[in-house]
């Protein structure tokens, strides 16, 4: 029996989310009195694989097969299922991100395992297996019982404080059976060096209250000083002031940074749905009755363009 | 080519979530029901593709799993431009149950291109599309922000960290779509609404499937402390609070 974690790496280095997942899974393994097995797919060196041990992995299964160089959902699902069966996994933990959303539902069917999507806490009980997740885009939460023998959980981003739990994991390589690959990646377009909005710990975001795309200079400057990513509200991306990739909200990106700074954003319910997972929200807006102040932890009533230069200076002073 | 669009009937996104029966059921009083926003964008893209004769799309079908009260929503999809509709007559118990019903229908009524939205606005599971593809053992592509057809081949834009990929797939393929797939949802014109009444809406009996999950109850978020206001003349104080109180800097 085991708890299996599907980890993700980027050019051979584990993404931060992989450590969160291992830490989360090892806590569930404790509740079930079993071990934590981490699955790594790709060309990852042993010392990097070992780093998963720091957060509680007892064993690491490493799969390195060139057929898996592109993300084919069917092939990846089949590999995770083979490892889950081999390790007699009772729980499989996956990130609730693009890759996790692509794979977890398929795996759920393949293993006939109930899916708890977007969990943010440990199960409140393992018998019955009861998870807690947000519903209605963060307007409420639900307690859900997973009734199947095997369970799949996807962990919401930045929702779990991972901690060290050092183990000396055994590393095992595994050769899966991979069938015919039915998708093909013809072309890849990637901007390098840019901080990913969904990974950023701090996000600086502008809304229509910024009045014009010409006023984004200070937002970018503040983001630069803070090491933050930039985002925007829907009207701003609809107007073409900012690229669509920056749109944060119910139908755009859903983010959960440690700090979200909203400048000139009124805070429509659809916008809040995209940022409600943030640990700390700062709002700067001219309208003291704007709904963003109900969601915010700290607020300034004022014109964002006027407050920004002072804010940049104040941050520079403490950095 | 035949297209299927999976439709979820959800509360309007501005609805305040309230619960009844000891917080075990969603309070539907006064709720406006809509086509799930991502499904609506998927349908819009399907109609755009069909409007180009070169793509030779014969038919767009929309499918939902729901009781009779889901019919106005699926009629709306017909009014927007789908050719026919299927309602599988069952209360959607969980994502696995819903996906199994849709997959069963598709096994008997094949499609070349299946669309589903990345997430439903109610249970936020991001699950049904992927599950349908696995039940059918067909390829799926998720995080899709573009679908085009060139010489009968489906070209898919998939968003990845910091960029995107152009993906092709063997048909049938299921695409799980998100922002970017269409600019604005198409709106039903009066003519569409009149025509929708005459379009076929087939009600299909469900198959026996056991749900794998069950909602026990709902909780409202903990009320958060009121926003701490800082004087605009004293921005330094804000930075001090972020650093020493919230500890996020």
């Amino acid at each position: 029996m085991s708890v299996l974690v599907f980890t993700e790496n980027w050019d051979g280095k584990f993404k931060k989310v992989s450590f969160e997942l291992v830490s989360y899974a090892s806590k569930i393994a404790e509740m079930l009195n079993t071990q934590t097995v981490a699955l790594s797919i790709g060309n990852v060196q042993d010392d990097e694989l070992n780093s998963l041990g720091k957060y509680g992995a007892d064993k690491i299964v490493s799969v390195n097969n060139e057929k898996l160089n592109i993300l084919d959902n069917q092939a990846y699902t089949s590999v995770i299922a083979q490892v889950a069966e081999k390790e007699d996994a009772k729980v499989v933990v996956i990130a609730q991100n693009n890759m996790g959303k692509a794979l977890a539902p398929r795996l759920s069917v393949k293993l006939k395992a109930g899916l708890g999507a977007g969990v943010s806490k440990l199960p409140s009980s393992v018998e019955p297996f009861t998870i807690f997740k947000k519903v209605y885009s963060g307007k409420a939460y639900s307690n859900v019982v997973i009734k199947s023998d095997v369970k799949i959980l996807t962990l919401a981003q930045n929702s779990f404080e991972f901690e060290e739990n050092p183990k000396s994991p055994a590393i095992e390589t595994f050769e899966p059976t991979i069938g015919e690959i039915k998708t093909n990646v013809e072309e890849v377009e990637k901007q390098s060096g840019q901080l990913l909005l969904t990974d950023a710990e701090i996000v600086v975001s502008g809304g229509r209250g910024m009045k014009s795309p010409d006023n984004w200079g200070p937002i970018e400057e503040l983001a630069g000083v803070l090491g933050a990513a930039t985002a925007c509200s829907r009207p701003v991306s609809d107007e073409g002031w900012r690229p669509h990739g920056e749109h944060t909200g119910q139908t755009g990106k859903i983010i959960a940074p440690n700090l979200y700074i909203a400048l000139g954003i009124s805070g429509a319910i659809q916008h809040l749905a995209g940022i409600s997972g943030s640990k700390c929200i700062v709002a700067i807006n001219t309208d003291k009755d704007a709904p963003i102040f109900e969601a915010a932890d700290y607020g300034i009533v004022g014109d964002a363009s006027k407050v920004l230069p002072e804010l940049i200076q104040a941050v520079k002073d403490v950095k | 080519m035949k297209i299927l669009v999976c439709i979820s009937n959800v509360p309007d996104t501005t609805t305040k979530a309230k619960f009844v029966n000891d917080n075990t059921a969603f309070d539907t009083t006064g709720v406006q029901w809509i086509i799930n926003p991502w499904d609506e964008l998927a349908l819009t893209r399907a109609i755009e593709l069909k409007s180009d004769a070169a793509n030779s799309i014969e038919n767009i079908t929309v499918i939902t799993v729901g009781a009779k009260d889901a019919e106005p929503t699926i009629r709306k999809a017909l009014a927007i431009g789908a050719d026919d509709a299927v309602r599988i007559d069952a209360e959607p118990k969980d994502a696995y149950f819903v996906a199994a019903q849709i997959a069963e229908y598709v096994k008997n009524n094949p499609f070349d291109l299946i669309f589903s939205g990345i997430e439903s606005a109610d249970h936020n599971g991001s699950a049904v599309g992927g599950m349908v593809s696995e039940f059918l053992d067909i390829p799926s592509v998720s995080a899709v922000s573009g679908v085009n057809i060139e010489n009968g081949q489906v070209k898919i834009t998939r968003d990845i960290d910091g960029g995107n990929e152009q993906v092709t797939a063997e048909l049938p393929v299921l695409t799980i779509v998100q922002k970017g797939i269409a600019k604005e949802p198409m709106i039903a014109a009066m003519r569409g609404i009149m025509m929708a009444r005459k379009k076929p809406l087939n009600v299909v009996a469900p198959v026996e499937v056991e749900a794998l999950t069950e909602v026990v109850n709902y909780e409202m978020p903990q009320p958060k402390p009121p926003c701490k206001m800082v004087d605009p003349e004293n921005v330094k104080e804000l930075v001090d609070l972020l650093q020493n109180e919230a500890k996020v800097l």
Side-chain angles (χ1 to χ4, degrees), chain A residues 106 133 136 139 186 296 298, chain B residues 122-123 134 168 224 245:
Chain A
R106 294 199 73 126
K133 70 180 292 277
Y136 299 100
K139 287 180 255 179
E186 315 271 336
Y298 301 102
Chain B
D122 48 10
H123 286 272
E134 188 66 29
T168 52
K224 70 173 255 329
E245 189 178 83

Side-chain angles (χ1 to χ4, degrees), chain B residues 13-145:
Chain B
T13 51
T14 56
T15 308
K16 288 218 158 71
K18 281 182 293 186
F19 301 95
V20 290
N21 299 346
D22 216 10
N23 285 330
T24 58
F26 180 73
D27 183 357
T28 56
T29 316
V31 169
Q32 288 274 357
W33 295 87
I34 60 165
I35 302 174
N36 186 45
W38 293 270
D39 307 348
E40 196 176 25
L41 289 174
L43 174 62
T44 299
R45 185 60 193 150
I47 295 165
E48 288 170 0
L49 288 170
K50 193 183 169 210
S51 70
D52 183 347
N55 292 333
S56 353
I57 289 159
E58 340 159 9
N59 202 64
I60 300 170
T61 302
V62 286
I63 189 166
T64 198
V65 177
K68 189 154 174 60
D69 56 13
E71 278 191 10
T73 297
I74 197 113
R75 281 271 176 221
K76 191 178 160 205
L78 291 172
I80 293 170
D83 299 299
D84 52 46
V86 176
R87 177 174 70 83
I88 298 173
D89 189 20
E91 283 294 339
K93 289 184 201 155
D94 77 344
Y96 184 88
F97 174 89
V98 168
Q101 301 298 340
I102 294 173
E104 195 57 32
Y105 180 82
V106 177
K107 276 179 198 162
N108 301 316
N109 304 274
F111 291 87
D112 305 288
L113 175 58
I114 305 175
F115 283 101
S116 82
I118 184 68
E119 186 181 288
S120 70
D122 48 10
H123 286 272
N124 308 142
S126 301
V128 170
M131 286 178 172
V132 169
S133 65
E134 188 66 29
F135 274 119
L136 295 171
D137 195 25
I138 62 171
S140 62
V141 183
S142 188
V144 170
S145 63

Side-chain angles (χ1 to χ4, degrees), chain A residues 15 73 106 133 136-137 139 141 143 145 147 180 184 186-187 189 191 247 250 296-299, chain B residues 13 15 38 122-124 134 140 161-162 164 166 168 170 179 212 214 216-217 219 224 228 230 245:
Chain A
K15 293 189 191 172
N73 295 340
R106 294 199 73 126
K133 70 180 292 277
Y136 299 100
S137 307
K139 287 180 255 179
Y141 292 86
N143 290 295
V145 168
K147 300 186 284 187
E180 186 204 349
N184 189 31
E186 315 271 336
E187 227 181 287
E189 204 176 297
Q191 295 164 322
H247 165 204
Q250 184 150 25
D297 301 282
Y298 301 102
Chain B
T13 51
T15 308
W38 293 270
D122 48 10
H123 286 272
N124 308 142
E134 188 66 29
S140 62
D161 289 348
N164 60 68
Q166 295 304 315
T168 52
E170 274 181 26
K179 179 158 175 92
L212 301 181
E214 192 178 331
V216 183
N217 57 18
E219 290 178 26
K224 70 173 255 329
K228 216 174 244 191
V230 175
E245 189 178 83

Side-chain angles (χ1 to χ4, degrees), chain A residues 143-219:
Chain A
N143 290 295
V144 178
V145 168
I146 304 179
K147 300 186 284 187
S148 49
D149 179 37
V150 179
K151 288 95 181 161
I152 296 170
L153 304 181
T154 58
L155 182 65
Q157 287 190 61
N158 204 17
S159 62
F160 189 74
E161 295 289 340
F162 60 109
E163 48 185 63
E164 295 194 8
N165 174 15
K167 302 269 178 71
S168 339
I171 298 175
E172 181 186 301
T173 55
F174 175 68
E175 283 300 332
T177 312
I178 300 173
E180 186 204 349
I181 306 277
K182 295 183 196 154
T183 62
N184 189 31
V185 174
E186 315 271 336
E187 227 181 287
V188 183
E189 204 176 297
K190 217 189 296 193
Q191 295 164 322
S192 55
Q194 232 189 2
L195 185 58
L196 297 175
L197 179 52
T198 47
D199 276 357
E201 299 200 348
I202 303 178
V203 173
V204 182
S205 186
R208 201 151 32 183
M210 293 305 298
K211 296 190 188 82
S212 150
D214 303 334
N215 296 335
W216 245 261
I219 290 189

